Amino acid sequence: MPHDHCPSCAAPDLAFATHDHADCASDGLARAQEILATKGLRLTPVRRRTLEILLEGHRALGAYEVLSRLAAEGFGAQPPVAYRALDFLEEHGLAHRIRRLNSFTACMHMGESHTAAFLICRACNAISEAPAAPSRSALDNAASAQGFAIESATIEALGLCPSCQTTPDKAAA
Amino acid sequence: MPHDHCPSCAAPDLAFATHDHADCASDGLARAQEILATKGLRLTPVRRRTLEILLEGHRALGAYEVLSRLAAEGFGAQPPVAYRALDFLEEHGLAHRIRRLNSFTACMHMGESHTAAFLICRACNAISEAPAAPSRSALDNAASAQGFAIESATIEALGLCPSCQTTPDKAAA
DNA sequence: CTTGTAATGTTACGATATAACATATAGATC
DNA sequence: GATCTATATGTTATATCGTAACATTACAAG
């Protein structure tokens, strides 16, 4: 069931490909529950709803965008409500912050400890999580050559997803 | 002449190493002048001063930090003054934006077209520009496997520089 | 059912960034 | 040199993103 609001609906391991997104989202939620249960952490209503909102599509949402959704549903209406839920999800590997966009997206590989690399389509805003291990190890090499100890890495690419490359008006720089 | 305010004064190709920073900075300015002259672009007083401020150390400065320096010297005191100069420098490869810190730093490899990778010390805020080609090509591979066309990449690592690794109190997470 | 801890909510503010428009300046042309 | 034009600078005003500090509520352990 590829859904309409997501022109480049991405599968967990084959982003920008059409897939059954209802499954994709509910799997993500289930996976999150398992992971938090294991760690003895709580998926409270705000946190759960925040994750669901992120899981609605393979896009990045700003904290204030998430906040307005939460507020409309009766949760708190002040920024810390959204930031706390988002920070919690990020801290436990259920969501990622996209620095380039000052926004957040659900993690597509929950539980697999990894440095994530993101492919961000500047035309349709779709986000895909790409294998980052090769980039990351190249970065580790560059760092250790300088004696620098990496604690966390941000790897993000901006460009055009497959479907937007074929849409000339969107592709215009 | 390693200078005092820069605990991890970095050489262009060997960051985090002590070096003659007065040369490092004046070379950067000279190089910038060449490059802009070639392109028929102007290194106006604000732009020049902004670059000099960034070149003072291998650190990242926020736009408002640069702005207050400029304002104190008689330039305009409003945000666009700083953002315009910084954006201009970035656009022409003379400075980089560090997304992770919402701030800016002088480019250490002006004129060499490259995707930059940054090593950011969370203890002393020193910034080193590392060879990014290997990371970048690994990222290109991951992207093309998904049919994604990268236009620009952000590669940044947060961690500890050599000198801060040996200072336990600074290294505390 | 109390008590300590974690989570939620609020107010208030700080930091980052840009839109829109007015003024000034450098270089080209006459 | 005067004038024109494009570029650059400066301003006001506002949008957007993020956090500190503290009050209140829910939860789970004893």
Side-chain angles (χ1 to χ4, degrees), chain B:
Chain B
M1 188 223 283
H3 57 316
D4 32 313
H5 72 274
C6 177
S8 302
C9 197
D13 284 304
L14 182 53
F16 302 131
T18 297
H19 67 286
D20 185 323
H21 189 67
D23 281 3
C24 171
S26 64
D27 286 359
L29 192 61
R31 189 89 191 82
Q33 279 170 321
E34 280 175 44
I35 290 168
L36 292 181
T38 303
K39 298 193 195 174
L41 296 166
R42 296 162 52 202
L43 188 60
T44 62
V46 213
R47 289 170 182 171
R48 181 191 171 102
R49 193 67 195 113
T50 300
L51 181 56
E52 286 172 352
I53 290 168
L54 293 182
L55 283 167
E56 283 173 7
H58 300 281
R59 315 190 301 298
L61 296 183
Y64 280 75
E65 217 169 333
V66 169
L67 177 59
S68 70
R69 294 283 306 275
L70 292 174
E73 299 175 16
F75 294 100
Q78 304 307 320
V81 169
Y83 281 104
R84 278 194 292 233
L86 291 165
D87 289 348
F88 173 88
L89 294 174
E90 189 189 14
E91 187 176 351
H92 298 101
L94 311 180
H96 295 285
R97 180 186 284 256
I98 306 296
R99 305 268 169 191
R100 192 85 182 223
L101 302 179
N102 292 125
S103 60
F104 300 82
T105 194
C107 177
M108 292 296 107
H109 299 88
M110 292 175 188
E112 305 167 27
S113 100
H114 64 295
T115 292
F118 298 98
L119 307 178
I120 307 163
C121 179
R122 67 167 166 76
C124 72
N125 291 303
I127 303 238
S128 168
E129 198 169 333
S135 291
R136 169 61 197 253
S137 75
L139 187 56
D140 282 333
N141 288 341
S144 63
Q146 298 190 14
F148 186 93
I150 294 180
E151 291 173 350
S152 81
T154 296
I155 301 177
E156 298 175 358
L158 199 67
L160 290 175
C161 75
S163 72
C164 290
Q165 285 171 51
T166 64
T167 312
D169 53 312
K170 284 193 171 183

Side-chain angles (χ1 to χ4, degrees), chain A residues 4 45 51 128 140-141 147 167:
Chain A
D4 31 310
L51 182 55
S128 168
D140 283 332
N141 288 342
T167 313

